Amino acid sequence: MDEKDLKSMIENILADMTDDKKAAATTTTTDTRSAATPATNDSTVSGDVLDDITKIDLKKQFLQDDPHDREGYLKIKSFTPARLGMGRVGTRYKTASVLRFRADHAAAQDAVFSDVDPQLPKDMGFFETQTTCTSKDEFLTRPDYGRKFSDETVAAIKKNVTPNPKIQMVVGDGLSSAAIEANVKEIIPAIQQGLKVYGLGFETKDVIFVKYARVGAEDQIGEVTGADVVCMLVGERPGLVTAKSMSAYIAYKPTIGMPEANRTVVSNIHDGGMPAVEAGAYIAELLDKMVRLKKSGIDLKAAENAGA
Amino acid sequence: MQDDQILSVGIDLGTSTTQLILSRLTVKNFAAAFSVPRINISKKEVIFQSDIIFTPLASQNEIDADAITKFVADQYRAAGINKSDIQMGAVIITGETARKENASAVTQALSGYAGDFVVATAGPDLESIIAGKGAGTNVTATKRRRNVVNMDIGGGTSNLGLFSDEDILDTACFDIGGRLIKITPSTKEITYISPKVKQLIEKLNLSIHEGMTITTQQLQPIIDVLVNVLENSIGVGEKSPYFDLFITNHALHPEHKIDGVTFSGGVADCLNEELPADVLRYGDIGLLLGYGVRHSRIFKDKTIYPSVETIRATVVGAGSHTTDVTGSTIAYTDGILPLRNLPILKITKSDENLAEDELAQTVEEKINWYKVQNELTNVALAFTGKHSPSFSDIQRYAAGIVKGAQVLIDKHEPLIIMVHEDMAKALGHSLFAKLPEHYPFVCIDSVKVENGDYIDLGEPVAGGEVLPVIVKTLVFG
């Protein structure tokens, strides 16, 4: 099967999917194929581009043939992005599901393996650093290198970043550069504005951007800067639902080797989860709480519960 | 956060009966320990039910306010609570009682007497919604995924609330109830006939009047018409020539499909297969009407679903189902809550997308609509908001709002902003930055409102994360 045949086949399948009428479903396979031949000629002439399958809302895509209760199934689907009701062909997924799965998987891979647009930290005016990792491959295979800075980098941070701040912001690529590109521009001003409510703040020139960053990198930054609270925005390992999910890992006076329980995390920051600006507002309130109570993680939770 | 509880009261002053319930609403954080809080009402329990008393009347046209306040005080004592413990709730005055001369004075006085934050409400549309929720019709509609109408047939009125899933589609009200005619059980003497039934009697050329003794056979033509109108009210049966006569405010819009019916109200307890021996034992036509409805086409043509509450549906609805909570990431300044009876001013979706200055102009114009005799009253400004807004969107909203609401700010009215999408905390911070220092404001999300609604905001619960809110929907488009 050459590329042209494949393209026309996919076109037909997609046309069937968008056609809600049962008539299309009852058409036999042979009919579809014979109808495909003239369609191939048409498409060569028109030069149309296929619709972007990743734009289809999975919560509304329902491919099950002859469902007993379509409305009921769609209602169930409205609560989850899981690929339910995708139907099947014999023992396999339908082509549309397979293509979408591969497209989403590719987006996840891209998010991991590509770098954050080098222009982004410059536009934002962040102070740029890199962990001891020298390449993406090393970053992925040696998590420990992604938590450390070289002596030169440490010296540069000390020289350029205002020491002993109440709040030290850090932005790290982590496992999804797409997440950083999608959310950082919105969340930074939202956090800054929120902090003003509590009489706190930070300047964007003091925000440390870290390439090849693991969450633990914030611990060394805490020690180097002497900050009260370190808040690190980091791209989360992408899944098939979204490749753009970011988290904030926040710790009061973090130190290298401290227990993970000392971190407070705000996760699921993306347009299908918590919107970046609203998350920023929430983080600002959280930062104020930590500065006041001098606690984070489990200790903060315990203090809050005791007070409630 | 620990689970928090809200004590809520519901008081229903109906045509024939008055009741009170106390319910406890549990507010729970459903999010995992380290996530952003997601707080909702997890449980609604009725913890006290009063006796059901006949609504005390000082005369045929006046409610006996003293008797009612005494009733409320007695019930609070019986339940062992102080009125200061009550955080939310509603007094609802329904049916014919709402038309008594001193109705509004009584409810206002009572709402203060029942507890500081208890709201007085009235209006047949709201009553229909409250009764439907109390009867559990919204739950049935959601579970069965059918359009289900609740018919709350009380003493003086029948309130219809049509639900599709949790959403209310439409409401209607008819002047039909079990106590449109009152009869002394021992002597069979008629002591009262409602004005609309008097008109009907005239048109039917019947010789029935107050003071005479009566048999059930003589009442039957009237019952037949009432049942027929109830059939018509949900689109069943042949159209009665008296349909329009019995409409209180409006009928259901005929374009909505109705799959099933639930019944509540006092007459719902009288839907008997067989007519009981002593049909006039309640001193009214309730049993006759219930028997008529049981054998009407409603039972033949529609699926009848059981209701959770019958005679108590309205009071349970008022006590348990009027209060909701806002989204869990919101912003407000201390000391301005609670706020009561704020009219909603909803900015249209297309106006929301305008640039800052045009948005401000729209907001300003619309605030002026609420000028009553050149006096500005405070309003709650409502927006749909944007799904996953950008920071510049937030700034634009905030700037537009602050500029547009300058007239309110000059009067130092607290600024009340509501958005449907999850963006209230960010917007609140933006407002804080743009408003004068220490200016009081509330910015909440995840509450759906429309123009014509009124809203009450209670004092914060759940460690200050959410506000209890009562949306009073009075108008349907």
Side-chain angles (χ1 to χ4, degrees), chain B residues 140 144 148-151 234 236 258-264 268 271 293-307:
Chain B
T140 304
R144 311 263 176 181
V148 184
V149 65
N150 182 55
M151 303 182 82
I234 58 164
V236 169
I258 298 172
D259 303 305
V261 182
T262 57
F263 286 99
S264 65
L271 300 171
V293 170
R294 179 67 188 80
H295 291 87
S296 72
R297 289 197 43 194
I298 298 174
F299 272 73
K300 295 188 185 79
D301 292 9
K302 301 286 178 190
T303 314
I304 309 297
Y305 296 109
S307 44

Side-chain angles (χ1 to χ4, degrees), chain B residues 12 92-95 99 121-138 148-154 157-163 166-176 233 247-252 262-265 309-310 312-318 321-322 471-476:
Chain B
D12 173 20
I92 181 160
I93 186 156
T94 62
R99 286 169 242 166
T121 57
D125 290 315
L126 186 62
E127 187 191 350
S128 300
I129 300 168
I130 286 179
K133 288 184 175 174
T137 312
N138 53 339
V148 184
V149 65
N150 182 55
M151 303 182 82
D152 187 87
I153 310 175
T157 54
S158 293
N159 287 87
L160 277 61
L162 177 60
F163 292 85
E166 284 287 324
D167 299 324
I168 178 89
L169 284 184
D170 201 2
T171 64
C173 187
F174 293 83
D175 289 315
I176 295 178
S233 72
I247 294 174
T248 313
N249 56 346
H250 54 81
L252 292 177
T262 57
F263 286 99
S264 65
E309 293 285 345
T310 52
R312 289 188 191 272
T314 304
V315 73
V316 169
H321 300 291
T322 48
V471 178
K472 291 176 280 185
T473 303
L474 302 177
V475 179
F476 281 90

